[in-house]
């Protein structure tokens, strides 16, 4: 059988496996709206098969592998992903619509996660605990067992890399339910991993809808830990399903992250970052800098500069590698367009707007990035996660107001602060309710090594960095009484 990543198969036990239900879902190219591939439409039977394969691996070859051996396999996977970065970028760009250059960065970030966690596999241990005379007590880190990973479509390779590489490094066997809108790159990465010596069953992918394959995974009694990345609403459902069986969950949810610019900031450095933080991946980034808070004395001059930068943004197909690609699907385009129309009909001032390249295919899901000014703090475009290239700007007076506005949403994922004042940098970092605070930069170029996650409705638990590996372990305390 000539089975491949784009022809409607799950990846279970290092093999291409047709779905039990024999249904497939078309994959739509966001750049032209046309179907170009298919994925299997998984159901509970496919999830069962994947969990069984993972359990066998965990109790068998993969579970018995030493930390050093696991690390070496992951390092080989990292090298293989890197070698295939161009191929993976082309797959991801077509699948997600993201500009080719961004897709290539995502492939390299995925490789970097495997490298980072491969290197870490044999360096994270437990500790001994001083206790009563006649005892030796130690706390050992062990894997959860079989881990379930629910991944969205917006950064398939990056999010897969950060959760799966960490889980495998810790010694777990994984079952992944990728996003139904874009996941082909992950099926190809799984195939590459098998070629690097990752034993059968250590990594399994069941594709399909959230309401079918996803909910079957969250209801499955064979899963010992969940990593979920997606919307707060689905996160609630996943956490509720896991709570039925008292299974731990890491939730990486949405954001409405503020970029805060003080009058003393280096505006030349800030400006490209302010634009990129909302235009990257067409604003479909959990940590998008979607609110702009500017100190009043520089508000108008900065907006004038930013407006010109927005005007210059061109939107087009992923393969054209412009600054901005299409949105993921028609319904997302319609959703984002509704926010823009609402802001316009509410009379919000448009300061800058990009344009769609004239040769962009007619059926693509394109929306020109737009910058709105004087947005009231309680307006929906200042409060809700739009997941599109729409930036809501407002002014503030002084640190207290900046903090109040920045913290005044249900989210708390990331915040950016631009100021040259060192003491203010520290004060702001302390006062902002967010999982990550960036001072005079935004996103730290991806920051594989940096713990990431949210507070409030942005989620809980941490992935990335050393914390990410710890999330995929549990502590066992062993008390030995020897007299
Ligand atoms: P989503 O919640 O609709 O889907 C995410 C994943 O959950 C998909 O794989 C989907 O199939 C699955 N799913 C859907 N319903 C399910 C169910 N009932 N049971 C189990 N699984 C189910 O989110 P989305 O539209 O794919 O992604 C957009 C959201 O994700 C945004 O809110 C964004 O901020 C968030 N996100 C967060 C991060 C982060 O790291 N914090 C990263 C990327 C995206």
């Amino acid at each position: 059988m000539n089975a491949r990543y784009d022809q409607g198969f799950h990846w279970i036990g290092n093999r291409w496996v047709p779905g039990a239900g024999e249904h497939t879902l078309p994959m739509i190219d966001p750049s032209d709206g046309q179907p170009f591939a298919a994925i299997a439409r998984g159901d509970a039977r496919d999830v069962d098969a994947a969990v069984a394969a993972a359990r066998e691996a965990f109790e068998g070859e993969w579970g018995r592998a030493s930390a050093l051996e696991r690390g070496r396999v992951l390092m080989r996977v990292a090298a293989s992903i890197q070698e295939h970065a161009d191929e993976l970028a082309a797959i991801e760009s077509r699948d997600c619509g993201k500009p080719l250059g961004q897709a290539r960065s995502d492939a390299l970030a995925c490789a970097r996660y495997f490298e980072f966690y491969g290197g870490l596999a044999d360096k994270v241990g437990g500790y001994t605990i001083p206790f009563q005379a006649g005892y030796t007590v130690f706390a050992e880190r062990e894997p959860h067992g079989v881990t379930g990973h629910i991944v969205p479509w917006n950064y398939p390779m990056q999010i897969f890399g950060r959760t799966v590489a960490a889980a495998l490094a810790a010694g777990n066997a994984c079952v992944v339910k990728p996003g139904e809108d874009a996941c082909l790159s992950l099926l190809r990465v799984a195939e590459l991993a098998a070629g690097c010596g990752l034993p059968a069953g250590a990594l399994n992918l069941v594709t399909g809808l959230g309401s079918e394959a996803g909910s079957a995974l969250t209801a499955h009694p064979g899963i010992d830990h969940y990593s979920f990345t997606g919307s707060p609403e689905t996160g609630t459902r996943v956490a509720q399903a896991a709570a039925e069986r008292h299974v731990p969950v890491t939730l990486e949810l949405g954001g409405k992250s503020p970029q805060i610019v003080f009058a003393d900031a280096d505006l030349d450095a800030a400006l490209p970052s302010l634009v990129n933080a909302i235009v990257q991946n067409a604003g479909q980034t959990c940590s998008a800098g979607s609110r702009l808070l500017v100190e009043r004395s520089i508000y108008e001059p900065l907006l004038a500069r930013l407006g010109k930068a927005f005007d210059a943004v061109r939107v087009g197909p992923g393969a054209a590698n412009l600054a901005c690609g299409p949105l993921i699907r028609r319904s997302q385009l319609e959703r984002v367009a509704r926010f823009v129309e609402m802001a316009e009909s509410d009379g919000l001032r448009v300061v800058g707007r990009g344009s769609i390249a004239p040769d962009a295919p007619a059926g693509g899901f394109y929306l020109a990035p737009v910058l709105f000014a004087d947005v009231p703090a309680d307006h929906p475009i200042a409060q809700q996660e739009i997941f599109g290239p729409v930036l809501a700007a407002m002014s503030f007076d002084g640190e207290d107001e900046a903090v109040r506005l920045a913290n005044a949403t249900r989210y708390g994922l990331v915040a950016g602060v631009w100021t040259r004042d060192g003491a203010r940098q520290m004060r702001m970092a302390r006062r902002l309710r967010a999982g990550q605070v960036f001072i005079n930069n935004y996103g730290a170029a991806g920051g594989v090594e940096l713990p990431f996650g949210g507070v409030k409705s942005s989620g809980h638990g941490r992935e990335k960095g050393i914390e990410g590996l710890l999330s995929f372990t549990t502590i066992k305390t062993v008390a030995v009484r020897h007299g």
Side-chain angles (χ1 to χ4, degrees), residues 27 44 57 84 123 184 201 226 257 268 335 341 350 359 412 448 457:
M27 299 304 278
H84 292 83
K123 292 167 194 68
L184 299 177
Y226 290 100
S257 299
D268 292 339
R335 181 173 181 274
E341 282 156 21
V350 174
D359 55 352
V448 167
S457 288

Side-chain angles (χ1 to χ4, degrees), residues 150-151 153-154 162 177 180 229-231 234 253-254 286 385:
I150 300 176
V151 172
W153 46 265
N154 59 340
R162 81 180 185 213
K177 207 307 273 174
E180 53 269 45
T229 304
S231 61
T234 311
L253 309 176
C286 53
E385 186 180 43

Side-chain angles (χ1 to χ4, degrees), residues 160-235:
F160 172 92
R162 81 180 185 213
T163 87
V164 167
L168 289 172
N172 301 280
C174 306
V175 178
V176 181
K177 207 307 273 174
E180 53 269 45
D181 293 290
C183 59
L184 299 177
S185 59
L186 305 188
L187 291 158
R188 180 70 178 118
V189 167
E191 186 180 40
L192 292 176
C196 297
L198 188 68
L203 170 59
N204 310 278
L205 274 78
V206 176
T207 59
L209 300 173
S211 55
E212 297 174 356
S215 58
L217 185 60
T218 57
H220 202 288
I223 300 290
D224 303 307
H225 175 279
Y226 290 100
S227 158
F228 173 79
T229 304
S231 61
E233 295 67 30
T234 311

Side-chain angles (χ1 to χ4, degrees), residues 178-353:
E180 53 269 45
D181 293 290
C183 59
L184 299 177
S185 59
L186 305 188
L187 291 158
R188 180 70 178 118
V189 167
E191 186 180 40
L192 292 176
C196 297
L198 188 68
L203 170 59
N204 310 278
L205 274 78
V206 176
T207 59
L209 300 173
S211 55
E212 297 174 356
S215 58
L217 185 60
T218 57
H220 202 288
I223 300 290
D224 303 307
H225 175 279
Y226 290 100
S227 158
F228 173 79
T229 304
S231 61
E233 295 67 30
T234 311
T236 303
R237 281 200 286 281
V238 169
Q240 281 168 342
E244 293 290 332
R245 289 174 289 111
H246 310 113
V247 173
V249 189
T250 299
L251 293 178
E252 300 279 3
L253 309 176
K256 192 72 190 173
S257 299
Q259 291 251 44
I260 306 163
V261 188
F262 285 92
D264 68 344
D266 177 348
L267 298 185
D268 292 339
L271 202 112
S273 179
L274 299 176
V275 177
N276 187 52
I278 188 66
V279 165
Q280 181 180 318
N281 211 30
Q284 303 167 117
T285 305
C286 53
S287 55
S290 53
R291 288 187 297 147
L292 175 64
L293 279 47
V294 185
E295 196 160 25
R296 191 174 306 280
S297 62
I298 58 157
Y299 182 64
E300 289 302 340
L302 179 60
L303 284 192
R305 289 181 68 182
L306 272 172
K308 286 202 184 95
F310 265 70
D311 290 344
V313 175
R314 294 283 169 274
V315 187
N321 203 25
L322 303 175
C324 187
L327 294 160
I328 187 70
R329 61 176 110 85
R330 182 163 301 286
S331 62
Q332 182 70 7
L333 172 63
E334 289 166 357
R335 181 173 181 274
V336 179
R338 276 197 299 277
F339 276 105
V340 173
E341 282 156 21
M342 182 203 308
E344 284 170 338
S345 69
D346 288 345
L348 295 184
R349 177 161 62 112
V350 174
V351 178
R353 194 187 307 250

